[in-house]
Amino acid sequence: RAHIIVLGNEKGGSGKSTSAMHLVVALLEQGRRVATIDLDGRQRTLTRYLENRARAAAEGANLLLPSYAVVTRSEIADFHGAQADERQRFLSVLEDYVGRHDVVIIDCPGSDSFLSRLAHGCADTLLTPMNDSFIDLDLIARVDPDDHSILGPSLYAELVWEMRKRRALTGGTVDWLVMRNRVGHLDARNKRRVSEVLARLAKRIGFRVVAGLSERVTYRELFLQGLTMLDLGRTGSSLTMSEVAARQEVRTLVASLDLPPVGR
Amino acid sequence: RAHIIVLGNEKGGSGKSTSAMHLVVALLEQGRRVATIDLDGRQRTLTRYLENRARAAAEGANLLLPSYAVVTRSEIADFHGAQADERQRFLSVLEDYVGRHDVVIIDCPGSDSFLSRLAHGCADTLLTPMNDSFIDLDLIARVDPDDHSILGPSLYAELVWEMRKRRALTGGTVDWLVMRNRVGHLDARNKRRVSEVLARLAKRIGFRVVAGLSERVTYRELFLQGLTMLDLGRTGSSLTMSEVAARQEVRTLVASLDLPPVGR
Ligand SMILES: Nc1ncnc2c1ncn2[C@@H]1O[C@H](COP(=O)(O)OP(=O)(O)OP(=O)(O)O)[C@@H](O)[C@H]1O
Ligand SMILES: Nc1ncnc2c1ncn2[C@@H]1O[C@H](COP(=O)(O)OP(=O)(O)OP(=O)(O)O)[C@@H](O)[C@H]1O
Ligand SMILES: [Mg+2]
Ligand SMILES: [Mg+2]
């Protein structure tokens, strides 16, 4: 049965889809069978990235591809009917994928939705990217402006807490990882302050902080071609220093997921 | 009657709330009476930023404050009842504000919602921040990966088009401004490519591109104190070069809004 990784953060633009895409390529490179489920039926960033990749592959590029699907929000007007419809379609795609892949990566939208909550409730690993910012932190916990003490959990931490309890009912556990994304090199004071609060929050709320991704144009420049910097090395073209560093960041991230060995 | 500025972009994390906050402070500094309406009832980033500012003011800081309100999503289960409820509460706050302020700034959530569409339908100025990224561009238009020709409008451009038509029915026009946010200094090639597509898109879709904001830690490190770099000069403390540059970026942005002269 596949390991399920959910990219979750109600905060928009925190890097869920970008992280998901780079994990997909890195895990495929490791020889794993990978599938993705896109729960952002409107924007479909991950799916469009993969469609761009499929087009490049069809045009001759030697690229590994995952299985991929989109689960859209229900059009049913009745509240309970819509949820039943979403649950049925989501579980149907998920059950199909977990039986014939090693990893299923689920990309959530940047807003609260029933589908997103379903995904959070079935995650083996929940990966939450966030900007190196007290604005992003504000969705996880309220922080005192003077001494940075933690005043209490915010919406997203409460959502995760609730879905974790639900998962515990079936004996499951969730490995919750929080990673910073788009980290700059010039923000020493802010970076230190955010790290310090995150470290305390990790103990209190129950997640572990993992090394994330720097702000690098290579993480966003290859979207139309469906490529990542992990793919660039193979064409024989030489990489920039930033691309080499990005490859290392992605591989460090994959290692921190602590997945079962390949091919079990 | 106040000039209504809407911060809109369905793409999450594009900088709506950050841009809104800095516009608020800049416009207050110009002597305008400013009000804000937060349509992100869940995350409330702008409102929390303003509450932090109100707290600092209450503790003695000499800070100008806008009027501010949140309009939450309806809890009514019935679809049409919920929309009627949201429309009534939104218009009630808006009508109150436009009668006694010079500018009303409306911050939209990073997702499609009825309240967001209502705001788009009553904007005098629609300001759309976006990351310097083909991923963000993908929500405005589909672009050919090989020659970057424009294949057609995407979801968000269609939403704006539809709300513009609606506004035209009452004889109103919308000045649609698109600004890049979090622009880096190291991304020359990607920056040039995005700019080139945006320039063509502007003609075709009907918006104007305005100078935006660079990626600077000062845009996010003062959230907990409710401050912006526009406030820092007054305490007499010296500003960093980045803070000085940020102040100029914000003032250039305000100027590009082409608002009526202060105090009419
Ligand atoms: N490490 C990075 N370096 C540079 N740009 C990045 C990085 N991560 C993300 N971006 C850019 O930031 C923006 C937001 O990223 P992304 O779309 O992956 O976030 P998201 O959490 O999936 O957003 P949403 O909530 O809208 O689904 C995009 O323009 C993307 O190209
Ligand atoms: N110019 C900038 N420089 C540095 N950081 C920025 C800048 N603009 C925004 N940010 C940071 O980027 C993140 C997203 O910004 P913001 O919350 O303003 O976007 P948004 O469009 O309102 O998001 P949402 O869709 O979730 O409402 C925040 O962590 C914010 O602090
Ligand atoms: Mg996404
Ligand atoms: Mg916002």
Side-chain angles (χ1 to χ4, degrees):
Chain A
R1 185 187 164 77
H3 190 95
I4 298 171
I5 302 172
V6 173
L7 274 300
N9 193 343
E10 196 176 328
K11 180 61 176 140
S14 48
K16 299 175 288 295
S17 305
T18 295
S19 303
M21 182 65 184
H22 289 80
L23 284 182
V24 165
V25 176
L27 294 168
L28 285 169
E29 274 189 348
Q30 288 185 334
R32 303 182 196 259
R33 297 166 301 163
V34 181
T36 68
I37 302 177
D38 193 341
L39 299 184
D40 193 341
R42 228 174 122 73
Q43 298 182 14
R44 306 189 181 205
T45 306
L46 178 62
T47 303
R48 292 177 60 67
Y49 208 149
L50 292 168
E51 287 171 344
N52 293 342
R53 190 178 182 83
R55 177 188 315 115
E59 289 168 2
N62 179 17
L63 297 171
L64 296 168
L65 283 164
S67 306
Y68 54 96
V70 180
V71 178
T72 55
R73 296 188 73 152
S74 179
E75 312 240 317
I76 295 173
D78 155 55
F79 181 78
H80 288 107
Q83 290 196 350
D85 173 35
E86 288 173 359
R87 185 194 302 275
Q88 184 271 318
R89 283 184 290 107
F90 172 70
L91 289 179
S92 153
V93 174
L94 184 63
E95 286 310 311
D96 169 37
Y97 277 168
V98 294
R100 54 192 183 91
H101 296 87
D102 304 311
V103 186
V104 178
I105 293 177
I106 307 177
D107 190 17
C108 294
S111 53
D112 183 24
S113 72
F114 181 68
L115 280 168
S116 174
R117 287 178 183 248
L118 282 176
H120 281 71
C122 69
D124 295 310
T125 298
L126 170 64
L127 179 58
T128 295
M130 58 175 280
N131 282 292
D132 185 38
S133 169
F134 280 103
I135 280 184
D136 281 41
L137 204 46
D138 195 48
L139 265 82
I140 299 177
R142 284 168 300 117
V143 172
D144 184 276
D146 301 316
D147 63 8
H148 286 177
S149 60
I150 295 157
L151 303 175
S154 286
L155 285 183
Y156 184 66
E158 291 174 334
L159 189 157
V160 174
W161 174 238
E162 199 177 316
M163 302 322 299
R164 254 177 154 170
K165 283 196 298 186
R166 219 170 276 203
R167 181 139 168 83
L169 294 177
T170 55
T173 58
V174 185
D175 188 13
W176 187 14
L177 280 58
V178 175
M179 62 168 261
R180 256 151 310 168
N181 185 36
R182 306 192 70 177
V183 181
H185 53 276
L186 284 178
D187 334 324
R189 180 179 55 194
N190 185 69
K191 207 180 295 185
R192 185 170 29 84
R193 288 171 173 173
V194 172
S195 301
E196 203 279 317
V197 173
L198 267 186
R200 279 187 281 119
L201 218 46
K203 289 201 186 71
R204 178 166 159 158
I205 292 184
F207 56 78
R208 53 191 181 95
V209 180
V210 299
L213 309 176
S214 300
E215 166 77 18
R216 298 180 188 283
V217 70
T218 183
Y219 283 116
R220 61 175 185 259
E221 185 172 35
L222 302 170
F223 169 74
L224 292 178
Q225 296 96 307
L227 299 175
T228 68
M229 76 295 299
L230 300 166
D231 302 303
L232 295 180
R234 272 187 276 135
T235 62
S237 56
S238 65
L239 301 173
T240 65
M241 281 179 56
S242 187
E243 287 162 344
V244 170
R247 281 153 65 106
Q248 192 49 52
E249 289 179 346
V250 175
R251 284 164 186 162
T252 299
L253 177 61
V254 171
S256 68
L257 296 175
D258 263 353
L259 296 178
V262 186
R264 263 165 304 159
Chain B
R1 186 184 163 81
H3 189 95
I4 299 171
I5 302 173
V6 173
L7 273 301
N9 192 343
E10 195 176 331
K11 179 62 175 139
S14 49
K16 299 175 287 296
S17 306
T18 295
S19 302
M21 181 65 184
H22 288 80
L23 284 182
V24 166
V25 177
L27 293 169
L28 285 169
E29 274 189 347
Q30 287 186 333
R32 302 181 196 261
R33 297 167 300 165
V34 181
T36 67
I37 302 177
D38 194 340
L39 300 184
D40 194 341
R42 227 172 121 77
Q43 300 182 14
R44 306 190 179 203
T45 306
L46 178 63
T47 303
R48 292 177 58 68
Y49 208 147
L50 292 169
E51 288 171 342
N52 293 342
R53 189 177 183 83
R55 176 188 316 115
E59 289 169 2
N62 180 18
L63 297 171
L64 296 168
L65 284 166
S67 305
Y68 55 97
V70 180
V71 179
T72 55
R73 296 190 72 152
S74 179
E75 313 239 317
I76 294 173
D78 155 57
F79 181 77
H80 288 106
Q83 290 195 349
D85 173 36
E86 288 174 358
R87 184 193 304 274
Q88 184 271 317
R89 284 184 289 107
F90 172 71
L91 290 180
S92 155
V93 175
L94 185 63
E95 286 310 312
D96 169 38
Y97 277 167
V98 294
R100 56 191 180 90
H101 295 87
D102 304 311
V103 185
V104 179
I105 293 178
I106 307 177
D107 190 17
C108 292
S111 54
D112 183 23
S113 71
F114 182 68
L115 280 168
S116 175
R117 289 177 182 249
L118 283 175
H120 281 71
C122 70
D124 296 309
T125 299
L126 171 63
L127 179 58
T128 295
M130 58 176 280
N131 282 291
D132 186 37
S133 169
F134 280 103
I135 280 184
D136 281 42
L137 205 45
D138 196 48
L139 264 82
I140 299 178
R142 283 168 300 117
V143 171
D144 185 275
D146 301 314
D147 64 6
H148 287 178
S149 59
I150 295 158
L151 303 175
S154 288
L155 285 184
Y156 184 66
E158 292 175 332
L159 189 157
V160 175
W161 175 238
E162 199 176 317
M163 303 321 300
R164 254 177 153 169
K165 283 196 297 184
R166 220 170 275 203
R167 182 140 167 83
L169 294 177
T170 55
T173 58
V174 186
D175 188 15
W176 188 12
L177 280 59
V178 174
M179 62 169 260
R180 258 151 309 170
N181 185 37
R182 305 192 70 177
V183 180
H185 53 277
L186 284 177
D187 333 325
R189 181 178 54 192
N190 185 68
K191 205 180 296 186
R192 184 169 31 83
R193 286 170 173 173
V194 172
S195 300
E196 204 278 316
V197 173
L198 266 186
R200 279 186 282 119
L201 218 45
K203 288 201 187 70
R204 178 167 158 157
I205 293 184
F207 57 78
R208 55 192 180 95
V209 179
V210 299
L213 308 177
S214 300
E215 166 77 20
R216 299 179 187 283
V217 69
T218 184
Y219 284 116
R220 62 174 185 259
E221 89 178 318
L222 302 170
F223 169 73
L224 292 178
Q225 295 97 307
L227 299 175
T228 68
M229 76 296 299
L230 301 166
D231 302 302
L232 294 181
R234 272 187 277 136
T235 63
S237 55
S238 63
L239 301 173
T240 65
M241 281 178 57
S242 188
E243 287 162 344
V244 170
R247 282 153 64 106
Q248 193 48 52
E249 289 179 345
V250 175
R251 285 165 186 161
T252 299
L253 177 60
V254 171
S256 66
L257 296 175
D258 262 352
L259 296 178
V262 185
R264 267 164 302 156

